[in-house]
Amino acid sequence: MDLEEYRRQAREWLEANAPRTAEDTGGGNPGADGVAAAKAFMAKLYDAGYSGITWPKEWGGQGLTQAEERAFAAEAAAYTLPTYVFSIGLGMCGPTLVDLGTDSQRRRFIRPLLRGEEIWCQLFSEPAAGSDVAALQTRAVETDGGWVVDGQKVWTSVAQHADRGLLLARTDADVPKHKGLTMFIVDMRAPGVTVRPLRDMTGRAHFNEIFFDGVHIPAENVVGRVGDGWNCAVTTLLHERLSIAGGVGMGGRKDDPAAFEALRRTADTTDPVVRDRLVELHIRSRALALFNQRLAQETRAGLFPGARGSAAKLLLAELTVFQADLATSLAGPEAVSWDEDDDAGGRLAHALSLAPAMALGGGTNEIMRNIVGERVLNLPPEPRTDKNVPFKDLRTSGEDAR
Amino acid sequence: MDLEEYRRQAREWLEANAPRTAEDTGGGNPGADGVAAAKAFMAKLYDAGYSGITWPKEWGGQGLTQAEERAFAAEAAAYTLPTYVFSIGLGMCGPTLVDLGTDSQRRRFIRPLLRGEEIWCQLFSEPAAGSDVAALQTRAVETDGGWVVDGQKVWTSVAQHADRGLLLARTDADVPKHKGLTMFIVDMRAPGVTVRPLRDMTGRAHFNEIFFDGVHIPAENVVGRVGDGWNCAVTTLLHERLSIAGGVGMGGRKDDPAAFEALRRTADTTDPVVRDRLVELHIRSRALALFNQRLAQETRAGLFPGARGSAAKLLLAELTVFQADLATSLAGPEAVSWDEDDDAGGRLAHALSLAPAMALGGGTNEIMRNIVGERVLNLPPEPRTDKNVPFKDLRTSGEDAR
Amino acid sequence: MRLVLTPEQRELRETVRSFLASASPPPAVRRAAESERGYDPAVHRRMAGELGLTGLIVPEEHGGSGAGYGELAVVLEETGAALLPGPFLATTLAAILLTETGEKDLLAGIAAGTTVATVVLDGNRALCGAEADVVLSIGGDGGDRVLARTGGDRRPLRTLDPTRRQALVEPGGEVVAASAEGVARARDLFAVAVAAEQLGVLRASLEAIVAYSKVRVAFNRLIGSYQGVKHKLADMHCTLEQAESIVRYAAWAADEAPDELPGAAALAQAYLGRACFEVASGSLLLHGGIGFTWEHDAHLYYKRAKADEVLLGPPRAHRARLADLLEL
Amino acid sequence: MRLVLTPEQRELRETVRSFLASASPPPAVRRAAESERGYDPAVHRRMAGELGLTGLIVPEEHGGSGAGYGELAVVLEETGAALLPGPFLATTLAAILLTETGEKDLLAGIAAGTTVATVVLDGNRALCGAEADVVLSIGGDGGDRVLARTGGDRRPLRTLDPTRRQALVEPGGEVVAASAEGVARARDLFAVAVAAEQLGVLRASLEAIVAYSKVRVAFNRLIGSYQGVKHKLADMHCTLEQAESIVRYAAWAADEAPDELPGAAALAQAYLGRACFEVASGSLLLHGGIGFTWEHDAHLYYKRAKADEVLLGPPRAHRARLADLLEL
């Protein structure tokens, strides 16, 4: 089938099947109904051949090329498909299993993942291992026919709906920190797994904390080799970056009440000083949007942006805080207190509360600057003291003891 | 004599003897005539008992207290005394000799220094040892009855007029860098000393480079102990800080064409955006001026600001660049090109060219931030790799070989 | 000009600081903020009665301590640093307005700690407008009348800042025919008072991240040892030094130099508003992920900083006023 | 919209870059700047004649190459990065003005490389005003007449930037009765051209400090390994990425999207002016003491950056224009 035809069929299928409004499914935290609807849609999507377009046929994918995937994505861009709860599985966990899983793992997990039957989450970050993921403390101890896991993970999206998790845990504390990690597939419904919503500064719970208390994992659920977990995680994170880079291009949300287009409507532009601040916001917004477009053009031309994507992420993080701060400053008192009956009330306050998320998720601004400095500009690295020391001899935060 | 009487006499003496206009003597680079006039004034000042007021009587000082010194300074504030060429000797070299010199050194050098007969300069910085002074490479090798010095110093004020220099040189490269240094008194007229004016980015030469080519220094000119030069230098630098802190309080030059008071006269304040930029400059200028005043009040109350002075220095460095940048941006094309007959022409351009000096002299902004971070906020230090390694095994900049 | 604290002011600071540390530590702040009233009336009563702080700047003849703005600034810096919920600032603003306009009856209740009051600052909004016994506002054609109302309709608002509430209120009847000068001076003093609170918020949020950077480890090093963190904290410290200098100056001007007060007050708001939010925001971001959680206090400082920045109107209003005063 | 270079543009870049590296390396720039004329006429002649760069955007029928602004931006980025002294930019601006207003005779000489020309940009100031054969200016009541003068009084000015001169010149007689649209478009194209030069200045001053931070040692470590340096350089790189994106966009608008040109041109000047000076200034400061010396090139970038920032008027003019275009 030629590409035009493929695209035409995709268009038709979407027209017939894609939900026009995806109220509770496109956003951050669908309820149980939303998840059920999303799963139903995903099954239809899979059965029509549009889930896992480039994934190997052997494990349940369609075995097609990037060209078909781009064609479908171009058509799907007109919709807000309810795929949010599957995004971690599709973007990170699944591809990791395709790359590193055993055949029986691939057989067992990939098709249900693509068909939306099983939702996945990713379990790397910990309270004391944020920027420094390899410092994680959750431990897995070998036991009869498997492993027993104890510890805590945090910042886990969609965990409250997840059936499976891709877990990174420490299996050896006597070797340097990058060498004593192992990756596992964990059943999120297993006894000893507790998922607790993590209320963030917006007052909502976009993420979860996960507690593992003597959770048993069968031996066949080790991904890759025991002790090779860091390299496995690097693969996962690479897929994460690819899926972000291949996505919409991080341009910020169009409906952000603190963005230029919103402020030009709401701000008092009869004041020349206000006009000048809006011009500043326009300049910064356009500068970043054009940079993102340039990266996207380069990517389409086969030039993977690599660490330069971290520059875009850093700029977006800074712009997000800048514009929320500016918008609230321009609005004055009404930005910070509002009548509960006022539909527009509180939108700027929420934007301000949400603004730090962009800087704190996916690597802090400092980590981004290190990446840009070291991998784009090739600046010399910081002297490292943690590479050749057994994990158990490393410092930990505060009075934490292990 | 009570303090009031002392002050009255000082006032009378100054009225009778201080030059009202000090055209070529108060500034950065007096010519030969200016230096001669300055020396003549200094001799009168000394003979009247107003040079070295707090210095020990034994070595030529007046042996009085801080109270008399402050009284004289208060009266002298009305004048611009032509003491610039003596400032390094009076502020740094002399006090170091008082603290660390041998009696014969004190007898030989201090009175001529106080009387302005001998001008001193300080020879610590080198091209490859700026922020990291202890990395200096100028070496002194022991020889018959003394030492032979080879190397290069830089950023040396008043060296072109100097008779003596306080030199820091490496006498042992086999020990860690802080331990192989020795301080010397060097005769700036000795064979092998070459003073070359260093043209800076303003196009003028405020500083000098000094080349030592087999310069002989007699053994009795070692200051302190051989190998103890770093501690001696710390003493010198402490006196430098005290003399700056005791000075006018770093408020920036009043006649700066880029300062708020000048800009309010020259900028187009009918434009509200320009007004807003001037308000910003006013805010920053006032904020720093008030901080300096607060530090001065604390100092008068006996609370030495210590490393907090580095915060003031950092802020001044940033304000200086900010205001020169702002002033030229507001002025537009005429800031960067002007008729040579226009007396006011080029003033902003010169301010812009001079602006970085404040950030680069006396420690870069990064060094200031380290000081504030580590000594005011008590943050943990950077891991150091240069403390216990023989100097000869340390890295040097670029391809420099030793 | 006096920019350093007197020994008595330092003592006052210690008193208030240790009172708040025991009566309103962070967990108590959260409990109070989430309670029905939004604050702990017992803490407010003790601040007002036992410590005499609501009458601090009220003249002795009206039942206050007749202290100065140097003292008030010290107190508000501490209540800001502690993120004290409740009507202490609101009542203080009311005391300022009444003192400057020569009202006596309401003042006595405020100084005695028996009246919780507030002032309408913008439109019909008032801090703690639902909780106050008396709502003052400035009215009249020349903006020189002080109106007061007890009761009346109070419509609680939702707020960004969980630690201090606001409400829509209705203006009351005239209680004082003040002079325009008196009202103008009161507004300048509001600016000084809020700036003092902002100084406290700024200081506390800087202290929090400085402390955290001495215990948090990443890559086997305390994060405070990285220049990426250290240099930002150094810059924040520079901001704090300047902020404190400005607040001391503004308080001194309020006490000793009425001619300088308008400029000092506008300067204080223009500088402190920005400075406080920038430090609170920088502090939150440098905390990393934990700073984004509801359980950590970083967001409370961040939100209070923003709420305070716009409390007396959009920040550009202070800058425009400064431009006018500078005759630009 | 095309934001990446074509293979041909990359080739052009290499050609110009290697030409300048051999014909006008930094020591030659200094010699030329200090020479009587202020530039090396041989270099200019080769750029104009041998490489055909002064006629790059001149239509083929008038003796030029008929290339686009995408190509011109590539060339100006390189002349900016090399701090090329002399009238290349001035002559290019003249070519733009004449091309947009339909003049032919002078254009032929410029395209052929035999005429050195300049344009009055502000009052009576012109880049290389003393050295140019022809001085163009925009006049007429509607600002829609192009005037030209050969000879006439030329009063050299002193300049901040040692690598490019300016002079006061006198307006000449009318050579073209242009349309107001043509002149307005020419002014937008000036903005794009100067922005391209600024991109080069920005890039080169960033490259200089990146290279230095890989060889300069302090406290036994390369300074680029300190986050205090590294993070600043990372921020400067972010600025460069955005600056380059904007210049490519503005050049594309000049070539392909006339409706977008005014906004793109104002955006380019508003962003590049600031960005270029900030990076050049940051680069100079991070060099430490050596950056303050006359012998080091850092100050040449710093001064060119400031001279370029105000070349087309004070920066606020571009921001005000952008506000108008955005209908704010």
Side-chain angles (χ1 to χ4, degrees), chain A residues 264 275-276 280 286 288 291 294 297-298 308 315 369-370 374 376-383, chain D residues 1 3-4 213-214 221 225 227 230-231 234-235 237 241-242 244-245 249 271 319 323-324 326 328:
Chain A
R264 68 178 297 156
R275 273 165 56 105
D276 191 62
E280 180 65 25
R286 286 292 285 154
L288 176 54
F291 174 33
R294 188 161 62 96
Q297 290 185 10
E298 291 182 16
R308 288 167 63 216
L315 287 163
R369 290 191 180 96
N370 278 342
E374 295 178 15
V376 181
L377 300 177
N378 294 311
L379 295 170
E382 199 88 19
Chain D
M1 188 191 315
L3 301 173
V4 293
S213 73
K214 292 175 185 175
R221 277 170 60 182
S225 72
Q227 291 187 350
K230 183 181 291 172
H231 288 190
D235 284 337
H237 176 77
E241 293 275 22
Q242 297 193 136
E244 178 168 351
S245 306
Y249 165 62
Y271 188 87
R319 294 168 69 95
D324 289 341
L326 291 166
L328 286 178

Side-chain angles (χ1 to χ4, degrees), chain A residues 125-200:
Chain A
S125 291
E126 298 187 5
S131 298
D132 183 9
V133 176
L136 61 85
Q137 299 179 16
T138 293
R139 60 188 186 284
V141 177
E142 200 157 11
T143 179
D144 261 5
W147 301 77
V148 174
V149 178
D150 288 274
Q152 182 190 352
K153 296 287 173 178
V154 76
W155 304 118
T156 315
S157 304
V158 306
Q160 70 273 41
H161 309 300
D163 304 285
R164 311 280 162 206
L166 202 59
L167 170 75
L168 201 58
R170 185 162 309 280
T171 44
D172 187 351
D174 294 325
V175 294
K177 66 179 181 181
H178 292 92
K179 299 188 175 158
L181 303 175
T182 301
M183 184 178 277
F184 298 92
I185 297 164
V186 60
D187 180 352
M188 295 296 287
R189 318 292 187 190
V193 177
T194 309
V195 177
R196 201 155 71 187
L198 179 67
R199 195 175 174 205
D200 64 43

Side-chain angles (χ1 to χ4, degrees), chain A residues 340-354:
Chain A
E340 60 183 329
D341 291 347
D342 176 2
D343 286 343
R347 295 189 70 211
L348 287 180
H350 184 253
L352 190 80
S353 295
L354 190 60

Side-chain angles (χ1 to χ4, degrees), chain C:
Chain C
M1 189 193 309
R2 182 175 183 91
L3 301 174
V4 293
L5 297 184
T6 63
E8 295 73 27
Q9 287 167 346
R10 282 204 296 275
E11 203 177 304
L12 175 63
R13 171 156 75 181
E14 283 318 307
T15 304
V16 178
R17 192 177 288 185
S18 61
F19 169 78
L20 290 171
S22 75
S24 187
V29 166
R30 284 177 179 264
R31 272 197 309 277
E34 286 163 16
S35 71
E36 202 188 322
R37 269 172 185 270
Y39 72 102
D40 181 346
V43 172
H44 183 74
R45 269 197 304 275
R46 289 180 62 198
M47 297 238 349
E50 185 180 318
L51 300 176
L53 298 177
T54 49
L56 197 65
I57 48 88
V58 174
E60 290 181 35
E61 65 263 36
H62 300 142
S65 330
Y69 283 82
E71 286 71 36
L72 181 64
V74 161
V75 174
L76 287 170
E77 184 183 331
E78 295 309 314
T79 58
L83 291 177
L84 178 69
F88 182 73
L89 178 66
T91 301
T92 297
L93 299 182
I96 292 171
L97 181 61
L98 297 172
T99 298
E100 293 303 322
T101 54
E103 198 279 347
K104 292 164 199 159
D105 301 338
L106 290 169
L107 210 45
I110 288 172
T114 51
T115 302
V116 169
T118 189
V119 181
V120 174
L121 295 172
D122 169 84
N124 289 328
R125 279 185 180 78
L127 282 182
C128 303
E131 299 81 23
D133 303 314
V134 180
V135 175
L136 302 178
S137 54
I138 295 167
D141 290 343
D144 57 358
R145 293 289 178 271
V146 177
L147 317 176
R149 170 167 214 134
T150 55
D153 228 20
R154 314 285 183 87
R155 187 164 171 79
L157 295 171
R158 301 209 167 181
T159 54
L160 168 69
D161 176 6
T163 61
R164 198 158 54 199
R165 301 191 180 176
Q166 301 200 23
L168 291 180
V169 295
E170 295 175 340
E174 180 173 325
V175 290
V176 194
S179 67
E181 293 73 35
V183 170
R185 185 173 149 84
R187 285 194 189 275
D188 287 334
L189 294 169
F190 291 174
V192 178
V194 174
E197 170 169 306
Q198 289 169 318
L199 174 60
V201 175
L202 188 168
R203 194 195 79 212
S205 59
L206 175 56
E207 282 171 358
I209 184 60
V210 166
Y212 187 64
S213 73
K214 292 175 184 175
V215 296
R216 174 74 178 183
V217 171
F219 306 102
N220 206 35
R221 278 168 60 181
L222 293 171
I223 62 169
S225 73
Y226 291 102
Q227 291 188 349
V229 175
K230 183 181 291 172
H231 288 189
K232 285 219 174 86
L233 298 184
D235 284 336
M236 291 185 203
H237 176 76
C238 289
T239 301
L240 171 63
E241 292 276 21
Q242 296 194 136
E244 178 168 352
S245 306
I246 287 174
V247 168
R248 301 275 167 260
Y249 165 64
W252 170 83
D255 285 329
E256 307 284 345
D259 290 355
E260 291 189 42
L261 175 61
L267 173 69
Q269 274 306 298
Y271 189 87
L272 267 293
R274 260 314 53 205
C276 181
F277 182 76
E278 281 174 2
V279 169
S281 161
S283 173
L284 187 148
L285 291 175
L286 287 175
H287 273 90
I290 199 173
F292 193 62
T293 63
W294 184 268
E295 288 313 312
H296 196 279
D297 291 338
H299 76 101
L300 300 178
Y301 289 100
Y302 176 86
K303 291 168 179 173
R304 174 69 73 91
K306 177 53 76 176
D308 274 358
E309 187 184 18
V310 298
L311 184 62
L312 302 177
R316 65 184 176 281
H318 307 295
R319 294 169 69 95
R321 175 119 204 274
L322 201 44
D324 289 340
L325 292 167
L326 292 166
E327 296 174 8
L328 286 178

Side-chain angles (χ1 to χ4, degrees), chain B residues 46-97:
Chain B
Y46 179 80
D47 296 342
Y50 296 120
S51 177
I53 294 170
T54 61
W55 298 37
K57 244 191 156 88
E58 196 175 358
W59 316 119
Q62 299 297 323
L64 299 173
T65 71
Q66 296 276 341
E68 280 85 5
E69 184 158 86
R70 272 202 296 270
F72 182 78
E75 290 301 324
Y79 302 85
T80 304
L81 301 185
T83 53
Y84 173 75
V85 293
F86 310 109
S87 57
I88 307 294
L90 292 167
M92 302 172 69
C93 306
T96 303
L97 293 183

